[in-house]
Amino acid sequence: MSIITRAAASLAVLVVADALCAQDATPSPLTALRDGDYAKARSELVMIVANRPDAALHIAYLEGLIKVQQGEFEAAASTFRSILSVAPDYEPARRELTFALAHLGETAGALYHAERLVAQTSDERLRAGLQALINNTSQGNPRGVGLQFAILPSTNASKGTDDEVIVIGGLPFVIDEASRAQDGVGLSFGISAWNRWVLSENWSATLSGTLSAQVYKEARANEQTGTVKLDFHRPFTQGRVNIGPVADLTFTDGDKSRERIGVAGSGVYALAPGREMSAGLTHWWQTYPDREFRDGTSIVGFLGYRQSLSPSTSLSLSLPFNRERTDLAHLDHDDIGVVVGLDREWSNGLISGFSAGLRRDNYLGDFPGSDEPLEDIVSTLGVSLLHRNLTIGRYAPLFSYTYTNSSSNIGFFDYDSHDVAITLSTRF
């Protein structure tokens, strides 16, 4: 039995023990449910919740529990999802859905619901069980293969300026058509595989590999990337840490364009129920076979904070940063930004995310032909939408839109872009 299955089983014992009597029903329906007398459980619950405005929720909840007891976890998950589509703050349904998804091996969905529930529940035993599930489920199944696909329409896939002529150092420069803003539609494909080993009671290691490609007709170069990572993972009572080596290789239009090796680390720490801090850092050593002047290092990271306002709403704050050093001063830069996000589940089954970001890119050396370094201010607004009732098998189409505005002291880097992504996402 895997760590995830054991954690789910422990949670299942807690869930079944508290299923009805910890909520609004009396022990009688619970006793009938345990005895397998489902007709009696239904009739007794109907009498208890008669004339209550939330009667339908409790009745549907009991039907989900019956499916769990019968081992019909797919059907149970569907029932609990239906309840959350109407009442996203209904804690019992989210609790049971977490267990059902963990049992089915749908770890991304189980983690999604467990993290929201652990932040709000007043049941300390349940919180402890959920935290154990989060710590173990965050690593996913011990082995597997995943596929990714996305359609990427953009009004400015090339991220070029609309201007035909710009002025640098007091001199006009004509921008050729290929370097100006061009709309386009890209396709993204990916496949990933991983295998995890338990090294000790506290440590596990995951070896993963990913192959991805973005294909455009004309607006920009096609790119293919392969990544290999060895990740060492340690959960603890209030969070988890990951650290390990990583390497990737990128091809542009079929030619090798970048090689990188690095070390990556990340962690999550729960400050209190509903509040957590996170951080991540990757140090890259990179080489460019066709542009040796770009060889050097890059340090990419973030600091994050998340506050759960309710089981269905959370607020996040992230401070991303990047430091790149090359052989040319005008390519060296320090970037820092801020991103604010708001995620919410609505009573009609819609799951939405909103974000707003601002980033400042400061370059160190004077831009060629100018007597000042390049400085960019990049602002973004984004929205993502996913609906529980719009599914393709075990997946749901995730729609995201991002508006980007880049304002630069060098006109070549001024641009606006409206980008859409339609991807297949795990159904939550």
Side-chain angles (χ1 to χ4, degrees):
M1 183 180 291
S2 70
I3 294 176
I4 293 175
T5 304
R6 290 199 299 270
S10 299
L11 183 58
V13 172
L14 176 62
V15 164
V16 172
D18 292 342
L20 290 177
C21 52
Q23 300 299 323
D24 296 318
T26 66
S28 296
L30 176 59
T31 300
L33 176 67
R34 287 172 171 167
D35 293 341
D37 191 344
Y38 304 135
K40 182 178 180 181
R42 290 182 178 110
S43 63
E44 290 179 342
L45 182 61
V46 167
M47 290 188 293
I48 292 170
V49 300
N51 301 319
R52 289 184 50 165
D54 58 353
L57 292 180
H58 293 283
I59 292 172
Y61 175 59
L62 176 60
E63 293 302 318
L65 290 177
I66 290 173
K67 291 181 174 65
V68 167
Q69 186 157 312
Q70 293 175 328
E72 300 175 10
F73 292 98
E74 285 277 8
S78 178
T79 298
F80 297 131
R81 281 194 179 100
S82 297
I83 294 173
L84 291 177
S85 293
V86 177
D89 287 345
Y90 190 71
E91 181 176 307
R94 190 178 299 276
R95 179 185 64 188
E96 297 291 345
L97 178 56
T98 301
F99 160 66
L101 293 177
H103 185 92
L104 292 167
E106 297 183 25
T107 54
L111 181 61
Y112 173 87
H113 292 287
E115 287 180 337
R116 279 150 183 77
L117 186 54
V118 76
Q120 292 297 319
T121 183
S122 59
D123 188 328
E124 291 301 326
R125 288 191 303 155
L126 176 60
R127 179 178 289 115
L130 287 167
Q131 191 61 60
L133 185 65
I134 289 170
N135 289 340
N136 291 296
T137 302
S138 63
Q139 289 296 291
N141 291 326
R143 63 186 58 83
V145 176
L147 299 174
Q148 301 87 38
F149 173 75
I151 303 174
L152 309 169
S154 175
T155 63
N156 189 355
S158 62
K159 300 300 182 280
T161 180
D162 287 318
D163 297 331
E164 295 184 11
V165 178
I166 63 172
V167 176
I168 300 178
L171 298 175
F173 288 84
V174 177
I175 308 300
D176 62 75
E177 186 175 351
S179 299
R180 296 204 300 269
Q182 297 185 58
D183 59 14
V185 177
L187 297 178
S188 176
F189 308 89
I191 182 171
S192 58
W194 66 93
N195 193 87
R196 179 163 57 91
W197 298 270
V198 176
L199 304 178
S200 69
E201 183 177 352
N202 295 319
W203 285 94
S204 63
T206 301
L207 179 65
S208 61
T210 301
L211 295 174
S212 62
Q214 285 192 357
V215 179
Y216 288 84
K217 185 178 180 180
E218 294 177 347
R220 57 185 292 180
N222 298 325
E223 221 175 57
Q224 307 84 37
T225 300
T227 304
V228 177
K229 184 177 183 182
L230 179 60
D231 194 48
F232 295 93
H233 171 78
R234 188 189 192 285
F236 54 94
T237 303
Q238 292 180 274
R240 56 191 181 272
V241 293
N242 300 271
I243 190 169
V246 60
D248 69 26
L249 179 62
T250 299
F251 292 81
T252 302
D253 284 338
D255 295 325
K256 185 166 63 174
S257 57
R258 186 182 67 188
E259 300 174 350
R260 298 194 299 181
I261 59 172
V263 178
S266 63
V268 177
Y269 181 79
L271 300 172
R275 295 189 293 125
E276 70 177 26
M277 295 290 297
S278 59
L281 186 71
T282 302
H283 189 293
W284 291 105
W285 291 268
Q286 51 194 21
T287 59
Y288 293 79
D290 58 343
R291 293 169 292 169
E292 290 84 355
F293 55 85
R294 291 205 61 182
D295 293 355
T297 62
S298 175
I299 300 174
V300 183
F302 73 92
L303 295 173
Y305 172 80
R306 190 176 74 172
Q307 172 78 55
S308 294
L309 307 180
S310 75
S312 59
T313 306
S314 63
L315 181 68
S316 63
L317 175 68
S318 179
L319 302 175
F321 56 89
N322 183 14
R323 178 184 186 272
E324 185 173 9
R325 294 296 182 266
T326 69
D327 288 339
L328 296 177
H330 75 273
L331 296 178
D332 297 347
H333 59 100
D334 297 312
D335 311 338
I336 188 167
V338 58
V339 180
V340 178
L342 180 67
D343 297 318
R344 179 169 174 77
E345 297 183 40
W346 302 86
S347 58
N348 60 3
L350 181 69
I351 302 175
S352 65
F354 300 92
S355 65
L358 184 66
R359 190 184 78 238
R360 184 182 185 93
D361 302 342
N362 293 310
Y363 288 76
L364 304 188
D366 290 346
F367 188 80
S370 173
D371 58 358
E372 60 181 343
L374 175 65
E375 292 183 1
D376 298 335
I377 301 294
V378 181
S379 54
T380 59
L381 291 173
V383 60
S384 64
L385 300 172
L386 174 73
H387 203 287
R388 296 185 188 280
N389 299 329
L390 299 177
T391 61
I392 302 174
R394 295 172 60 182
Y395 298 91
L398 173 65
F399 170 89
S400 61
Y401 161 80
T402 304
Y403 167 71
T404 304
N405 172 262
S406 176
S407 177
S408 177
N409 62 333
I410 305 297
F412 186 78
F413 299 98
D414 282 338
Y415 70 85
D416 290 279
S417 179
H418 301 269
D419 298 281
V420 173
I422 305 170
T423 63
L424 292 181
S425 173
T426 300
R427 183 162 55 104
F428 297 131

